[in-house]
Amino acid sequence: MSRVKERFYSFNNYLRGIFGTRVHRISLDAGLGCPNIDGTLSDEGCIYCNNKGFAAYARTSKTLEEQIESSMRFYSQHLGAKKFIAYFQAFTNTYAQTPHLKKVYDTVKKFDEIVGVFISTRPDCVDEDKIKLIAEYKKNYLVWIEYGLQTTHDHILNSINRNHTYKDFLAAVELTKRYEIQVGVHLIVGLPSATYQDMMDDALRIAKCGIQGVKFHVLHVLKDTQLEKVYRSGRLRLLTRAEYIKVLCDYLERLPSRCVVLRLISTAFGEYLVAPLWINQKSKIIEEISQELEKRGTHQGYYCSYEGARCQGQ
Ligand code: SF4
């Protein structure tokens, strides 16, 4: 597979297989909230959360249409892009009544260049009505739901104030599978108190649960977060670059080769990033991960006995 040559199944490769060209993802802020911030579950949020640090449009004054237009203009002028994915990224993008969500998602219909709709949300913020609505977009778009899980260990979820459980995630995945929507999961590598074995358990559980994609984040500290206080007090040890590369390769070896790697490492805007600063050397780190797999003579799926779920286009 070009996948084996590539050593892991990249998102670009996946999209190219479907659309025959590079497709750009446009990050959007639909103005929706989050129950972990508005007091419904908590008013403090996840300890690492500052949406401004990773979402270009988080709490922008621009309308969705304006966000889409300006991003499409930028990517077509600079990279010649012609096709785009609308990525509802900031906050919790199923956290509203279904009619309102329909209005939000329907914005994409105004733009012929949009070929995909990706919705990022919490696993405890979906129900059958919302999933049914999202499934309708499959007629005309490539549709994925990305669930923020971060870890499969409830005691670690508690410690980072996620306020949902691994069981909530499994229930959301089962519901989403019934409507044949592709599922991605967000995982954080290097969470406080997560041991190496905890992370490998995560890999095994994710490999088994039959989802189509994984998005990796490395734990990093953003300004104005609970995590920043812990970090400044000296009570937080972050992974080194070398440790991240090693753990990521171990992780990839345990995931099904068919599982799309939606992202290998997260980045953050410099003005918000406290530590570690190396995360923003994204291309270099991706290269180092490939080199490490090459050195080992392994690839994604090397130690995985699960076939994994098939994606649209595979
Ligand atoms: S669920 Fe997402 S938006 Fe809400 S507090 Fe956590 S990271 Fe932030």
Side-chain angles (χ1 to χ4, degrees), residues 289-314:
I289 290 169
S290 299
Q291 284 166 354
E292 172 65 19
L293 288 170
E294 201 174 322
K295 200 168 87 191
R296 296 180 185 192
T298 64
H299 52 80
Q300 180 181 339
Y302 192 82
Y303 293 122
C304 179
S305 49
Y306 303 100
E307 203 179 326
R310 200 173 273 283
C311 296
Q312 182 181 330
Q314 281 183 334

Side-chain angles (χ1 to χ4, degrees), residues 34 36-37 45-46 48-49 51 91-92 122 162:
C34 172
N36 209 24
I37 298 175
C46 306
Y48 52 82
C49 175
N51 267 267
F91 298 87
T92 299
R122 292 171 55 92
R162 283 291 300 180

Side-chain angles (χ1 to χ4, degrees), residues 263-282:
R263 182 189 287 155
L264 264 187
I265 181 157
S266 41
T267 53
F269 291 120
E271 72 225 75
Y272 292 102
L273 180 62
V274 176
L277 300 182
W278 54 261
I279 68 165
N280 279 346
Q281 292 170 23
K282 186 175 172 177

Side-chain angles (χ1 to χ4, degrees), residues 11-283:
F11 187 45
N12 280 343
N13 210 4
Y14 163 67
L15 291 177
R16 228 175 246 285
I18 297 176
F19 299 106
T21 180
R22 197 179 167 121
V23 179
H24 284 266
R25 197 163 31 177
I26 300 175
S27 292
L28 300 168
D29 178 3
L32 299 168
C34 172
N36 209 24
I37 298 175
D38 70 6
T40 305
L41 296 170
S42 147
D43 51 17
E44 294 190 336
C46 306
I47 61 168
Y48 52 82
C49 175
N50 178 344
N51 267 267
K52 284 190 184 146
F54 52 83
Y57 284 119
R59 289 306 170 254
T60 172
S61 55
K62 287 184 177 173
T63 63
L64 266 180
E65 285 87 348
E66 286 165 347
Q67 295 173 48
I68 294 172
E69 273 161 7
S70 63
S71 284
M72 288 200 315
R73 203 176 317 118
F74 177 85
Y75 288 118
S76 42
Q77 276 167 7
H78 290 84
L79 301 164
K82 292 191 177 66
K83 291 185 199 280
F84 302 89
I85 286 169
Y87 179 34
F88 294 94
Q89 180 187 22
F91 298 87
T92 299
N93 290 284
T94 54
Y95 188 48
Q97 299 295 319
T98 310
H100 181 70
L101 292 175
K102 178 167 167 31
K103 232 167 102 186
V104 166
Y105 306 149
D106 272 355
T107 313
V108 303
K109 296 182 179 169
K110 299 180 185 166
F111 302 92
D112 292 343
E113 302 88 333
I114 292 185
V115 294
V117 176
F118 280 47
I119 295 167
S120 172
T121 191
R122 292 171 55 92
D124 57 352
C125 284
V126 287
D127 58 32
E128 189 136 14
D129 258 12
K130 292 174 184 175
I131 295 292
K132 249 190 219 169
L133 167 71
I134 294 169
E136 283 171 19
Y137 294 85
K138 287 193 305 170
K139 283 180 229 139
N140 298 306
Y141 301 95
L142 175 69
V143 177
W144 281 66
I145 300 185
E146 295 183 12
Y147 289 115
L149 172 64
Q150 322 311 352
T151 170
T152 65
H153 300 276
D154 285 344
H155 69 283
I156 305 176
L157 287 170
N158 270 336
S159 74
I160 57 173
N161 200 41
R162 283 291 300 180
N163 286 307
H164 66 70
T165 61
Y166 175 44
K167 210 168 140 201
D168 291 330
F169 167 75
L170 293 176
V173 169
E174 281 320 305
L175 176 62
T176 315
K177 272 187 195 167
R178 288 217 304 275
Y179 286 85
E180 297 179 355
I181 299 169
Q182 289 158 113
V183 177
V185 62
H186 293 204
L187 295 164
I188 299 180
V189 177
L191 281 167
S193 84
T195 62
Y196 174 78
Q197 192 51 52
D198 289 335
M199 291 187 269
M200 293 304 102
D201 289 346
D202 282 344
L204 184 68
R205 290 172 185 166
I206 293 302
K208 267 172 37 179
C209 77
I211 59 165
Q212 287 85 1
V214 175
K215 186 178 269 185
F216 291 105
H217 301 256
V218 57
L219 183 72
H220 56 276
V221 182
L222 296 176
K223 278 185 190 154
D224 306 327
T225 59
Q226 292 298 311
L227 198 64
E228 182 183 11
K229 290 183 196 146
V230 183
Y231 176 72
R232 301 240 182 247
S233 73
R235 286 177 289 131
L236 179 68
R237 197 184 91 74
L238 296 167
L239 290 182
T240 64
R241 179 184 181 133
E243 285 168 336
Y244 184 69
I245 289 166
K246 183 197 173 301
V247 175
L248 231 281
C249 291
D250 295 346
Y251 222 124
L252 289 172
E253 289 168 348
R254 286 158 180 78
L255 283 184
S257 59
R258 189 184 264 175
C259 185
V260 183
V261 180
L262 298 163
R263 182 189 287 155
L264 264 187
I265 181 157
S266 41
T267 53
F269 291 120
E271 72 225 75
Y272 292 102
L273 180 62
V274 176
L277 300 182
W278 54 261
I279 68 165
N280 279 346
Q281 292 170 23
K282 186 175 172 177
S283 353

